[in-house]
Amino acid sequence: MTNRYGPAFALLLAGVLALISVGPAVAQTEYTIEGQVTDESTSEVLPGANVQIEGTNFGTATETDGEFSFTAQLQPGEYRVRVSFVGYETATRMVELTDQEVVTLDPFQLGVSAARVDEVIVTGQAGPTERKELGNAISSIEAAELQDTPKSSTLQSLQGKLAGVRVQQSSGDPAGGTDIRLRGTGTVLGAASPLIVVDGVIISNDSPELIQVGGTTQNRLIDINPNDIARIEVVKGAAAAALYGSRANNGVVQIFTKSGQEGETEVTYSTRVKTQAVRKTLDVNMAQNEQGQFLDNSGDPLPEGQRRFDFQDFIFDRAYGTEQYLSISGSSGDTRFFTSGGYLGSQGIVDESGFQRFNGTARLQHTVNDWFNVSAGARYAFSKSDDVPNGGLNTLYGALTGFIFGPNTFDPRPNEAGEFPDDAAFSNPLEVQSRFDFGQTTDRFIGDIQLDLTPFDGLSIDYTLGLDTYDQTGTAFIPRGVSTPGFETGFSRRAELSNLQLNSDLNVRYEASIRDGLTSTSLIGGTLQHESEESFNAQSQDLPPIAETVGGGTSSREFGEFRSPLTVYGVFGQQSFGLADRLFVTGALRLDASSSFGEGDRWQLYPKVSTSYVISEQDFWRGAIGSVLPSFKLRGSVGWSGGLTSIGAFDRFTVYNAQSFDGNPGLQPAPQLGAQGVRPERQREIEVGADFSLISDRLSVEFTYYNQRTEDLLLTKSLAPTTGFNTELANIGTVENNGIELRARGVALNRSDVRWVSTVTYARNRNEVTGIPGETGRVIIPSSFRVSAAQNGEPIGSYFGGAFARNEDGEVIDTEGNPMREDDDGYWRPKNCDVSESGCSGIPARAEQDQIIGNPQPDFTLAWANQVEVGDNLSIRFQVDGEFGQDVFNFTRRIGAFPSFGTLEDYERELEGDLPSGYGSGVFNIFENWVEDGTYVKLREVAVNYTIRLGALPVESVRLNAAGRNLFSIDDYSGYDPEVNIGGQRTGVRGFDFVVPPVPRTFSLGATITF
């Protein structure tokens, strides 16, 4: 499948620009506005401060000397100039433009402030809004905090930086997915990830599994180059749904990319080289007898000259990568432009794996006249991955799978004839890396056209047309003659997926001053969103020599095709009032409809009310209280929204599948009965919070409590066999999330030679499922190896399975009923007897009934980030973050300890007599034995930057960078890394470890040159 829509959209974009560029003009004057921005206390210049004329697209950023100069074509009149800089108070000034051509402003002196009450937030379709007006929490982060350390995905750069935003890198594969959750999980069968919006375009962040590579699915946000990002805003809960509708039920991540600025053309080139290595490996079985002979898995000495090997020495290798980026930004007359190109190439720490990405971006912004602006953007990405299968829940071929299933009693390297030994239980890891050929390619185009009209003062009309389309192809080839059971005669697979998303949004906003001290903002809008996904796959086995394609296979031929259209309509209205610039009240109604639901339940109404009160603006506060708390704001909101992701395009129908009967074509109903009367999942969220500052605005604190309740969960319930169906989708069950979010940001030092800004974030979420009918009150989550469950009274994704048998005192007992204790290495020992004694087995017993045995959700997350600037040239950034109290299901260790495979140190101890014979077999099906504490604290990133300023040369500055990521982890986890999940981005499968490539330690060196 080819990308059919990108060229057509680009042609439409060019036509619109050509049409509007000759539009009518209004008498305007070209003004040159110049000035300087400095630190109020130190008088140091502030390079990179943002200068903007409010209500227009005219503005720029200050140069290295803190000065700014830009041109603006405006009608004479009075305008407000706003100057903002991260960590400083925002300053505004009224400027009268008359007949002068050059306007020189007095210097702007900004005071240090960790509080950002006056910061302007672009709240989705509601438009620009000052933070103090918002009744809900919105987290934001600037480009400077995103781009100092090496990462391939935009989501990776958010790890640990925002409260209530849990980002987890589930795999160390260079193209592996990164998962994001906002305020827990509010659904079971649906997607739990937030909506992603890039420059007003709703984009796909799906993680399709086209080929089975084991826990390394690519989520498509990897196609966005982090170097293009100017700012990210994260909106959570009901507030997000009020902005973007029911598709934003899990929150919204708004990404704003760089755009052209007024002034001279600026060229930026950056280059980076990096190296990665596995941070920790597993201890493997090297069992020997007293004579120093290596033992096989039966405990017998291996033949003379034969030994055990650590296959990890061959599977993992040091990886290298490079990143190149070039951007050009500037303006010409009434048009501003930004264009960039980038390349990322990275090897994987699993030898023979790798990922490449090519990016190209262009954005034009044109001022037709003083009330009509237009912008258009085009973004293209091509990526290619070389994948090495590493096992997974559905397949047993793979490099890491071959290692863990063993045995490790043979040398996996090929002989002189290039032939690989076939002694492996499933796959020889080196044969998989050398002979298996797995890979994926993706073509992606993202484009938008945006019109901004301000026909008269107070009225603005915005229209956005956005398109996101990509084609992803995965191919898998296993040649004839491999030793992997079931694939000796060869295997070929090809899978293609084509995804298109279109959003058309119109918003009308009117701001007015009703009387002194009372302002009104009215907003109405509508949206039409369409998504279409088409997939096709084919595979076969028994390939003849040389053949690699599916058509060459002569047996096990399979193919499948699926199409999934979705259309979403939405209309909304919102009214806000501001009293004395300190009390703000907002009410909104949104009416949404989705084609996935029947006509009777399609349209749903969702209300929202929010308020904020800046108490520190009151006269009584400004005295003694204000000296301690310079700013203090209370806020609260309540709103409803609906979930759309738990139901497919045709799930409300009883689907019939093609079936042959005696050679004649026919139809047979699918096992699931149609669900015509189901409704969207409905979520209600209450949020209250306070934002305040201390120590002359040098310390700011944001505190939020929320209660999120989702009712009418869409779950699959069992049907009686007499109905002719197995299951039916129904609205049953409730899930509730309660949480606290805390963010403290402080200026620890602010001297002329050193400035230190420190930020601490804390988040806690409690998730509980209720209302699931049936005797067990439990639903096993699909595609979880029947380990993850949704059960009444427990969090979503809790582990369910075999538990230890316990006595009346709650002590674990052995098979003879004797109490046991757990030693420091996690092994169970007899408490009051010796295993050599009669009646004391030393092997734990399994409980008769399976039960909940663990929770993958953390008790809380904590992060500490620091930015230190020394003088004008040196800056240092480091971040420590961690998750506390979550469990990890170590399926890897379970397999490696089982005597039939016996590749890990657990079985070495049994062979050498440290554990009783039969210990590994005895605990194999006690799943509780393999649930470990996943608490960790990581040095997530360290970056050192030194800027050389060369103002007298064509090169303005050179910024040198040395950085590290995931440098060390403090944890008690016996596996590679507690930050792991073979389930990738699946909703209910969390913290499941089954030989996933671990997150590597990364070092990099880079340079950024600005002309």
Side-chain angles (χ1 to χ4, degrees):
M1 287 179 279
T2 59
N3 196 319
R4 299 162 291 175
Y5 302 97
F9 189 88
L11 183 62
L12 175 62
L13 184 153
V16 170
L17 286 178
L19 178 64
I20 63 176
S21 63
V22 296
V26 176
Q28 297 175 326
T29 301
E30 182 172 281
Y31 299 95
T32 298
I33 300 172
E34 58 186 29
Q36 189 180 46
V37 182
T38 63
D39 185 299
E40 183 180 58
S41 59
T42 66
S43 298
E44 295 288 335
V45 299
L46 296 178
N50 184 60
V51 183
Q52 193 81 23
I53 299 179
E54 290 188 354
T56 75
N57 291 321
F58 299 114
T60 189
T62 56
E63 304 292 339
T64 55
D65 56 2
E67 294 184 352
F68 63 87
S69 177
F70 64 94
T71 59
Q73 289 194 341
L74 296 167
Q75 290 181 311
E78 194 174 44
Y79 296 88
R80 185 185 298 272
V81 177
R82 173 186 291 269
V83 179
S84 60
F85 192 61
V86 176
Y88 286 80
E89 295 176 338
T90 298
T92 61
R93 184 180 302 167
M94 297 303 298
V95 177
E96 181 74 23
L97 301 180
T98 55
D99 57 354
Q100 74 273 44
E101 294 183 358
V102 179
V103 180
T104 302
L105 305 179
D106 292 336
F108 285 86
Q109 295 181 322
L110 306 187
V112 172
S113 175
R116 297 180 291 177
V117 175
D118 295 324
E119 181 182 16
V120 175
I121 300 294
V122 183
T123 55
Q125 297 173 344
T129 306
E130 288 188 358
R131 186 183 289 272
K132 65 183 177 183
E133 300 178 27
L134 300 174
N136 52 275
I138 290 185
S139 303
S140 61
I141 190 168
E142 304 292 334
E145 301 177 70
L146 301 175
Q147 297 168 359
D148 283 343
T149 58
K151 58 271 182 185
S152 58
S153 168
T154 300
L155 288 181
Q156 291 177 19
S157 62
L158 292 179
Q159 281 186 292
K161 292 182 172 62
L162 302 174
V165 179
R166 187 187 184 199
V167 178
Q168 185 181 43
Q169 186 176 349
S170 57
S171 165
D173 187 273
T178 303
D179 186 64
I180 179 170
R181 300 287 171 89
L182 309 181
R183 294 182 174 174
T185 301
T187 185
V188 175
L189 298 182
S193 299
L195 189 71
I196 308 295
V197 181
V198 178
D199 294 331
V201 183
I202 298 175
I203 71 168
S204 170
N205 190 35
D206 289 343
S207 306
E209 296 184 59
L210 301 185
I211 53 177
Q212 297 292 336
V213 293
T216 56
T217 54
Q218 303 176 16
N219 55 323
R220 293 271 47 96
L221 201 57
I222 199 173
D223 299 326
I224 306 298
N225 191 336
N227 293 300
D228 281 334
I229 295 175
R231 179 182 177 88
I232 295 178
E233 293 178 1
V234 179
V235 192
K236 308 156 196 170
L243 300 178
Y244 285 103
S246 296
R247 296 183 73 190
N249 196 51
N250 300 312
V252 177
V253 175
Q254 300 180 119
I255 299 174
F256 302 93
T257 64
K258 296 174 181 176
S259 59
Q261 298 290 333
E262 289 285 336
E264 296 182 358
T265 299
E266 181 179 88
V267 179
T268 301
Y269 172 70
S270 65
T271 181
R272 184 188 297 271
V273 294
K274 67 179 181 180
T275 180
Q276 296 180 314
V278 63
R279 184 180 56 81
K280 172 187 176 183
T281 57
L282 306 182
D283 294 327
V284 301
N285 182 356
M286 292 292 176
Q288 303 176 50
N289 59 21
E290 294 180 354
Q291 291 73 41
Q293 297 172 296
F294 287 96
L295 304 176
D296 64 16
N297 283 358
S298 299
D300 299 323
L302 290 170
E304 185 70 26
Q306 193 170 339
R307 59 184 300 268
R308 287 184 178 268
F309 291 84
D310 186 348
F311 289 177
Q312 297 168 108
D313 294 338
F314 310 119
I315 294 172
F316 297 119
D317 198 2
R318 177 166 291 277
Y320 298 91
T322 182
E323 186 175 0
Q324 312 297 322
Y325 179 75
L326 175 68
S327 69
I328 303 173
S329 174
S331 64
S332 176
D334 296 329
T335 302
R336 293 181 291 163
F337 61 87
F338 176 85
T339 184
S340 70
Y343 168 77
L344 170 71
S346 181
Q347 298 174 332
I349 57 171
V350 174
D351 198 20
E352 302 297 335
S353 65
F355 178 75
Q356 297 181 76
R357 182 186 66 212
F358 300 84
N359 289 91
T361 300
R363 175 160 291 279
L364 295 176
Q365 298 161 285
H366 181 72
T367 301
V368 180
N369 50 51
D370 63 345
W371 60 272
F372 185 14
N373 298 297
V374 64
S375 67
R379 189 178 305 277
Y380 175 76
F382 172 80
S383 64
K384 179 181 183 296
S385 65
D386 297 313
D387 299 314
V388 172
N390 287 300
L393 297 179
N394 301 316
T395 60
L396 290 177
Y397 56 74
L400 287 171
T401 312
F403 152 60
I404 203 64
F405 279 102
N408 64 328
T409 54
F410 69 97
D411 188 339
R413 291 171 290 189
N415 58 25
E416 294 180 356
E419 299 169 336
F420 290 89
D422 60 358
D423 300 84
F426 291 104
S427 295
N428 181 323
L430 299 193
E431 186 176 42
V432 171
Q433 291 174 280
S434 300
R435 301 191 63 194
F436 287 33
D437 187 4
F438 284 54
Q440 300 180 73
T441 60
T442 302
D443 278 283
R444 187 169 194 175
F445 176 83
I446 301 173
D448 67 274
I449 298 173
Q450 302 187 32
L451 308 179
D452 181 9
L453 291 77
T454 54
F456 56 83
D457 188 35
L459 177 66
S460 62
I461 303 172
D462 302 318
Y463 174 72
T464 300
L465 176 63
L467 172 70
D468 174 29
T469 177
Y470 71 87
D471 294 320
Q472 183 174 346
T473 302
T475 57
F477 168 64
I478 301 176
R480 290 183 64 91
V482 299
S483 58
T484 303
F487 296 92
E488 299 91 339
T489 60
F491 170 81
S492 180
R493 175 180 172 83
R494 182 181 181 89
E496 300 179 349
L497 183 143
S498 179
N499 184 284
L500 177 142
Q501 294 201 159
L502 181 73
N503 65 287
S504 177
D505 303 310
L506 176 66
N507 303 295
V508 180
R509 178 186 175 108
Y510 181 67
E511 299 179 68
S513 177
I514 300 175
R515 59 179 178 82
D516 289 344
L518 180 61
T519 60
S520 168
T521 301
S522 304
L523 177 70
I524 59 172
T527 181
L528 170 63
Q529 302 168 21
H530 176 72
E531 179 178 356
S532 175
E533 185 170 283
E534 301 178 4
S535 62
F536 179 83
N537 64 83
Q539 65 183 47
S540 66
Q541 291 187 234
D542 199 7
L543 304 176
I546 303 176
E548 297 184 10
T549 61
V550 175
T554 59
S555 68
S556 301
R557 288 189 165 206
E558 300 177 15
F559 71 90
E561 182 179 9
F562 188 73
R563 303 173 188 178
S564 179
L566 172 67
T567 301
V568 176
Y569 309 89
V571 292
F572 65 93
Q574 179 172 296
Q575 177 62 49
S576 300
F577 293 103
L579 180 62
D581 201 33
R582 64 195 63 167
L583 176 63
F584 304 91
V585 179
T586 299
L589 287 174
R590 185 168 190 111
L591 189 63
D592 279 348
S594 168
S595 61
S596 296
F597 295 91
E599 294 183 3
D601 299 284
R602 182 167 295 171
W603 289 93
Q604 299 286 325
L605 183 65
Y606 304 113
K608 173 205 170 186
V609 177
S610 67
T611 184
S612 68
Y613 181 24
V614 186
I615 305 177
S616 53
E617 291 295 318
Q618 296 291 152
D619 292 338
F620 74 84
W621 190 278
R622 294 177 179 174
I625 301 176
S627 63
V628 179
L629 295 169
S631 67
F632 194 96
K633 184 186 88 169
L634 293 174
R635 50 182 165 80
S637 65
V638 58
W640 284 260
S641 62
L644 304 179
T645 59
S646 296
I647 184 171
F650 307 111
D651 285 352
R652 71 180 189 274
F653 302 115
T654 299
V655 179
Y656 287 80
N657 300 319
Q659 183 71 39
S660 175
F661 294 94
D662 292 331
N664 298 312
L667 294 174
Q668 182 176 6
Q672 182 163 302
L673 178 65
Q676 286 283 346
V678 295
R679 304 176 300 279
E681 297 177 339
R682 191 171 183 86
Q683 182 185 100
R684 184 271 299 147
E685 182 174 70
I686 298 173
E687 175 184 325
V688 294
D691 304 332
F692 58 90
S693 64
L694 300 160
I695 320 174
S696 300
D697 277 340
R698 290 182 59 172
L699 173 64
S700 70
V701 178
E702 300 174 14
F703 171 82
T704 302
Y705 166 79
Y706 61 87
N707 174 269
Q708 183 188 96
R709 182 179 176 87
T710 305
E711 299 177 333
D712 291 336
L713 286 179
L714 283 167
L715 296 173
T716 302
K717 69 176 184 179
S718 300
L719 297 177
T722 54
T723 63
F725 298 91
N726 297 334
T727 58
E728 180 186 23
L729 200 62
N731 292 108
I732 50 177
T734 300
V735 60
E736 188 166 340
N737 287 281
N738 289 281
I740 292 173
E741 298 167 357
L742 182 66
R743 184 178 190 266
R745 178 185 175 91
V747 182
L749 284 176
N750 185 44
R751 295 164 33 186
S752 59
D753 55 343
V754 180
R755 184 167 181 265
W756 175 18
V757 178
S758 187
T759 304
V760 175
T761 58
Y762 167 89
R764 187 196 74 183
N765 183 75
R766 297 292 182 266
N767 178 278
E768 183 180 1
V769 179
T770 57
I772 297 178
E775 183 178 344
T776 63
R778 180 190 314 119
V779 173
I780 300 298
I781 294 174
S783 303
S784 69
F785 210 73
R786 297 194 60 79
V787 168
S788 300
Q791 178 167 313
N792 289 337
E794 301 289 344
I796 291 176
S798 294
Y799 304 132
F800 176 80
F804 289 114
R806 287 176 164 82
N807 59 23
E808 294 180 352
D809 296 327
E811 297 175 304
V812 172
I813 58 175
D814 65 13
T815 53
E816 305 298 332
N818 301 299
M820 306 192 77
R821 59 176 178 82
E822 187 177 14
D823 66 15
D824 294 337
D825 294 324
Y827 301 110
W828 290 93
R829 311 285 187 172
K831 186 177 181 180
N832 301 315
C833 63
D834 191 302
V835 292
S836 62
E837 300 176 8
S838 175
C840 188
S841 71
I843 299 175
R846 185 179 188 274
E848 294 182 1
Q849 298 293 328
D850 290 352
Q851 54 192 265
I852 296 295
I853 55 175
N855 176 15
Q857 309 297 335
D859 291 336
F860 64 92
T861 61
L862 188 65
W864 180 40
N866 296 270
Q867 180 78 26
V868 181
E869 297 175 2
V870 182
D872 295 332
N873 302 321
L874 178 64
S875 68
I876 302 169
R877 177 177 177 80
F878 66 91
Q879 177 180 308
V880 178
D881 61 66
E883 297 188 343
F884 301 82
Q886 75 277 15
D887 294 319
V888 176
F889 190 96
N890 195 341
F891 202 86
T892 300
R893 185 178 178 188
R894 174 178 181 255
I895 297 299
F898 188 54
S900 297
F901 311 118
T903 51
L904 296 184
E905 184 186 30
D906 300 71
Y907 191 53
E908 174 187 321
R909 294 196 174 195
E910 184 174 334
L911 288 173
E912 294 183 348
D914 184 50
L915 295 173
S917 178
Y919 187 93
S921 298
V923 296
F924 184 70
N925 284 323
I926 304 177
F927 281 13
E928 187 180 0
N929 186 70
W930 313 110
V931 175
E932 300 186 33
D933 180 14
T935 297
Y936 68 84
V937 175
K938 286 189 176 183
L939 180 57
R940 182 67 66 184
E941 57 188 39
V942 174
V944 179
N945 301 282
Y946 188 80
T947 302
I948 304 172
R949 307 187 191 280
L950 305 169
L953 299 177
V955 177
E956 181 178 314
S957 65
V958 177
R959 186 168 183 255
L960 305 177
N961 170 269
R965 186 170 177 82
N966 296 309
L967 299 185
F968 70 78
S969 176
I970 302 174
D971 60 74
D972 291 327
Y973 184 58
S974 66
Y976 288 118
D977 194 326
E979 187 182 5
V980 65
N981 184 30
I982 197 171
Q985 289 71 54
R986 297 174 187 173
T987 297
V989 184
R990 317 302 306 156
F992 195 112
D993 183 356
F994 185 32
V995 285
V996 179
V999 177
R1001 177 186 288 126
T1002 304
F1003 295 96
S1004 74
L1005 294 173
T1008 300
I1009 305 172
T1010 302
F1011 300 89

